[in-house]
């Protein structure tokens, strides 16, 4: 099975930044014949602090994502946090993503499935890979034609995550497409003084370990200047380093 890639900034910051990232994704897509989705969030509804930047909101954010889709011909993946968002988001996105903390929310899964779009369900930090059969059942019973699962680590005490790579083959017993979230898995949740910290130096190794365990897709948050990103900067890859990581996986 040809791997898929999901890549883009954590949150929509500006049209200029989206286009800079999209140009590099298109270059790599054409150079290596990648199956790749452009990812960015219109609203980060789960930020640690109420003072943290959330994004431009659904109306402006979807227009900005549609501009990327139209201008660059890229497939779009973005996340939803509430059931009512599924229908309008599906008018732009090719795949709807269910955030890890919300993967047991029945109404959200059903609403995403009913759009007819691919549903990517991120595994909660408190669940095993085998536990994900139940969110998949909810989505499929609601009519989802295609469901992916994404590994992103498990809580390891406070303010830390650890990845049990056995979750990947366990989830491959449930669905044929299991994605490794290589950047969120190096997070240190809430460890940055009101925001999430992380360590991007481990991202390439996370990707290669996932490949060894049979992952069929890879998720990366990438940014031209992650140290000054408005969300998830410490665990995002520099845009300039993305090609090297891709090459290690294909």
């Amino acid at each position: 099975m040809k791997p898929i890639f999901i890549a883009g900034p954590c949150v929509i910051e500006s049209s200029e930044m989206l286009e800079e990232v999209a140009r590099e994704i298109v270059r790599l897509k054409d150079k290596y014949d990648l199956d790749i989705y452009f990812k960015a969030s219109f609203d980060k509804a789960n930020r640690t602090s109420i003072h943290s930047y959330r994004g431009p909101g659904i109306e402006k954010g979807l227009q900005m994502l549609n501009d990327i889709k139209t201008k660059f011909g890229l497939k779009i993946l973005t996340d939803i946090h509430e059931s009512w968002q599924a229908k309008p988001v599906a008018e732009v996105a090719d795949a709807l993503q269910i955030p890890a903390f919300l993967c047991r929310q029945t109404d959200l899964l059903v609403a995403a499935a009913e759009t007819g779009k691919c549903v990517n369900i991120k595994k909660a930090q408190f669940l095993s890979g085998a536990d994900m059969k139940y969110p998949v059942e909810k989505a499929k019973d609601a009519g989802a034609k295609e469901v992916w699962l994404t590994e992103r680590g498990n809580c390891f005490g406070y303010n830390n995550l650890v990845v049990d790579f056995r979750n990947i083959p366990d989830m491959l017993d449930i669905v044929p497409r299991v994605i490794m979230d290589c950047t969120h898995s190096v997070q240190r949740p809430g460890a940055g003084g009101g925001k999430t910290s992380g360590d991007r130096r481990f991202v390439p190794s996370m990707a290669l370990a996932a490949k060894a365990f049979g992952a069929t897709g890879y998720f990366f948050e990438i940014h031209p200047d992650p140290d000054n990103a408005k969300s998830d900067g410490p665990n995002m890859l520099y845009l300039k380093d993305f090609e090297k990581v891709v090459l290690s996986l294909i």
Side-chain angles (χ1 to χ4, degrees):
M1 178 182 287
K2 183 177 180 179
I4 65 164
F5 290 84
I6 300 167
C10 177
V11 66
I12 297 171
E13 297 180 15
S14 68
S15 296
E16 293 76 17
M17 190 269 283
L18 290 186
E19 291 198 6
E20 182 177 356
V21 175
R23 280 192 293 272
E24 177 65 2
I25 288 175
V26 168
R27 184 183 75 82
L28 298 179
K29 175 181 178 291
D30 293 342
K31 183 175 181 179
Y32 300 111
D33 189 29
L34 300 180
D35 185 2
I36 193 163
Y37 288 73
F38 182 93
K39 182 270 170 187
S41 298
F42 55 83
D43 180 19
K44 299 298 292 185
N46 56 351
R47 296 301 305 272
T48 302
S49 170
I50 196 169
H51 303 294
S52 297
Y53 177 75
R54 288 181 54 165
I58 189 168
E59 185 175 350
K60 184 177 180 181
L62 287 179
Q63 182 58 59
M64 295 167 80
L65 289 173
N66 193 57
D67 289 345
I68 293 295
K69 184 174 187 174
T70 302
K71 183 172 182 177
F72 295 95
L74 289 169
K75 293 181 287 187
I76 300 294
L77 177 144
T78 194
D79 36 15
I80 59 173
H81 291 84
E82 299 183 59
S83 302
W84 67 266
Q85 295 175 339
K87 188 174 181 180
V89 171
E91 294 176 5
V92 173
D94 301 277
L96 303 185
Q97 182 165 278
I98 307 299
F101 286 132
L102 301 178
C103 74
R104 292 176 56 156
Q105 295 297 104
T106 302
D107 291 347
L108 186 64
L109 289 162
V110 168
E114 287 178 344
T115 67
K117 295 299 178 78
C118 174
V119 181
N120 181 34
I121 310 173
K122 300 187 80 170
K123 181 184 72 61
Q125 297 91 327
F126 48 84
L127 294 178
S128 72
D131 289 330
M132 293 305 293
K133 70 178 182 178
Y134 302 108
V136 171
E137 283 178 358
K138 292 177 182 180
K140 287 189 172 179
D141 285 353
K145 297 179 177 63
E146 185 174 4
V147 180
W148 304 340
L149 291 175
T150 294
E151 168 61 39
R152 53 98 71 245
N154 282 85
C155 298
F156 188 64
Y158 299 116
N159 305 124
N160 204 4
L161 297 175
V162 65
V163 178
D164 181 352
F165 288 96
R166 295 173 297 181
N167 284 325
I168 294 173
D170 283 348
M171 290 192 289
L172 285 169
D173 289 337
I174 304 168
V175 294
R177 179 71 72 185
V178 173
I179 296 157
M180 181 66 202
D181 186 338
C182 304
T183 45
H184 285 100
S185 60
V186 302
Q187 282 182 335
R188 290 175 183 164
K195 59 184 178 181
T196 289
S197 184
D199 196 338
R200 73 175 64 92
R201 64 187 169 133
F202 296 118
V203 170
S205 299
M206 287 288 185
L208 288 171
K211 181 180 180 180
F213 275 85
T216 59
Y218 307 93
F219 181 115
F220 298 94
E221 287 191 326
I222 55 178
H223 193 284
D225 184 15
D227 289 333
N228 289 299
K230 293 184 178 181
S231 176
D232 268 1
N235 42 269
M236 282 201 282
L237 279 180
Y238 280 90
L239 183 62
K240 64 182 177 60
D241 295 332
F242 184 45
E243 181 172 10
K244 183 179 179 180
V245 177
V246 168
L247 273 172
S248 74
L249 299 169
I250 58 174

